[in-house]
Every structure is written in structure tokens, then in C-alpha cells.
Amino acid sequence: MATVGLAALGAPVDWDKTDDIETIDTDPGGKLQFDPETGRIRVCDHNSDGHLARGYALVDGKEVASVRAGEKGKCDEAQIPDYKRTTEPKYQLKVCLRRSDSDPDGYCNTSNTAQWPKEDKKNDSCWDLKTDQAKIDCVGGVEEYCNQWQHTSGMFPKQCMKDHSDKKTTVLKPPSEESRTSTPGPTRRCRAATPKEWARSPNRWSPCSAGCSGPH
């Protein structure tokens, strides 16, 4: 994945006259702008809602540029590498919100270079989905779902989190070039040391990750 600093972006785009797409939360907190002439993207965080805004440019589902804004009024821009203007749907544009950098994307909206700036989703449409899991994936995780769903369901967040503890969102940020080309290392197997084993050879043992078994 390539990102480009502001100093390397050349002549500025007039962002005040550039179209955008918005996240699909009730009061859209993230906006992604795209300039078809230069291939530059900009994301802005528009609300003090405890979320940050993320924007992506993708080719064939692979992230080629990304931007991040984490405070109301802040914006971030980048150049799509090797960009060539086209009226074909070669480039996909995506804008999302996140509770933090370690949380999954939510409230995402998309468009592409063939239809820009027509959006693929309508505002507040996560709650129109049929299943709880689909809604959780759409908003960006169980915690986000429970903190928002309480307003219409009357369910308190703690009870909601308990009731949906078995559900995990499967929606992550788009894969980047690095994640697609990297070679995974060998699988580590581990188990917790007994007190005697630890006393005899403490350097041999390390904390275990979930789902692993057996000594290193």
C-alpha cells in the first residue's frame, strides 16, 4: 500500500468544490472526497462522536491508498499511486468510521470511478438489515451495536453485550498489498507452564495465545 505526504501532492485540489460520499450513521461523521482529475482522496471527521474516519481507494478489492482523520474538523489526504483517469469502475472508494484504530470498520459507504459520486448505500441503513449479526458487521462490532441499539430497543449496553457475546464482527479494513503478499510464519504451539516447570526453566515459557496448545 502506498501513501503520499502532503508535500508530494503537488498543486492543491479545491476541496470546497469536490464531491464526497458519507458514512451511513444517523448523523454522518465521516466524508470521503475524490478528485477524478488528479486521483487524490481526502477524508474528514465531521463529528465529536468518539469515532475516527477512515477512507480507502481500492483496485480489485485491494487497498492502494488510505487516509485517516481522528478529530472533528481534521482531514487527511493522499494520492492514489499510478492513477490514470477512467470512466470505468476500476477504482473503488470507501469511507468508514471506527471506534479506535484497533476496532473494525463500520457504517461504511462506497462508490467507484464509473458512478462517482453516487453512493451505494443510504443513510442509517445498518438498522434495516435483517439479522443481529448483519447489523453488528455493518456498524463495526458488538460494542458499537450495543451502545447504539439501546436507543431503540431500551436494552442497556451491558445486557446487550452479554446477550451478544458470541457474535464477532467479520468486517475488517480492506487487505493491503503487504497483507496479500506477506508469507505467514510457522504456527506457534504453546501451553502454560506448571509451577515446577517455570521454576526449573522460566525462559522457555511465554504467555499463550488463545487456541494454541503444546510447548514451544
Side-chain angles (χ1 to χ4, degrees):
M1 180 193 72
T3 56
V4 180
L6 291 176
L9 290 176
V13 172
D14 187 350
W15 293 114
D16 290 336
K17 298 180 180 179
T18 304
D19 291 319
D20 64 65
I21 58 174
E22 299 179 334
T23 51
I24 59 172
D25 44 322
T26 303
D27 182 15
K31 294 185 179 182
L32 178 74
Q33 294 173 286
F34 166 64
D35 178 36
E37 187 67 34
T38 63
R40 287 163 61 185
I41 58 174
R42 184 175 86 149
V43 74
C44 295
D45 186 343
H46 280 269
N47 290 336
S48 299
D49 54 10
H51 294 68
L52 56 90
R54 293 297 303 262
Y56 308 98
L58 306 101
V59 176
D60 297 328
K62 181 184 69 179
E63 176 191 327
V64 294
S66 68
V67 281
R68 174 194 182 278
E71 183 180 342
K72 182 180 179 181
K74 298 293 185 181
C75 298
D76 183 32
E77 60 182 281
Q79 174 72 47
I80 298 174
D82 303 316
Y83 174 79
K84 294 182 180 180
R85 184 166 187 173
T86 178
T87 56
E88 299 296 320
K90 175 180 179 179
Y91 299 98
Q92 298 86 50
L93 295 311
K94 184 176 184 179
V95 61
C96 305
L97 293 179
R98 286 191 190 187
R99 296 177 71 87
S100 73
D101 284 314
S102 60
D103 284 299
D105 288 334
Y107 304 108
C108 297
N109 209 346
T110 53
S111 187
N112 62 60
T113 44
Q115 67 180 37
W116 181 264
K118 181 182 178 181
E119 298 171 321
D120 291 323
K121 299 178 182 178
K122 65 179 183 179
N123 178 256
D124 216 22
S125 57
C126 288
W127 307 109
D128 296 333
L129 299 173
K130 294 183 179 180
T131 67
D132 289 341
Q133 184 64 67
K135 293 173 184 176
I136 288 169
D137 286 343
C138 186
V139 302
V142 173
E143 186 175 358
E144 178 68 20
Y145 171 82
C146 289
N147 276 275
Q148 297 299 322
W149 187 240
Q150 64 167 319
H151 301 304
T152 55
S153 70
M155 183 185 294
F156 289 105
K158 286 185 178 180
Q159 183 61 45
C160 176
M161 293 282 288
K162 181 179 179 180
D163 291 350
H164 296 287
S165 61
D166 61 322
K167 298 181 178 68
K168 304 293 182 182
T169 182
T170 58
V171 179
L172 302 176
K173 67 183 294 251
S176 64
E177 181 67 32
E178 289 85 351
S179 67
R180 285 203 170 197
T181 59
S182 61
T183 302
T187 301
R188 297 181 64 192
R189 296 170 61 88
C190 62
R191 64 174 172 84
T194 67
K196 287 185 178 180
E197 289 171 328
W198 179 261
R200 187 166 57 247
S201 184
N203 293 330
R204 181 170 179 261
W205 302 94
S206 62
C208 289
S209 301
C212 61
S213 62
H216 290 295

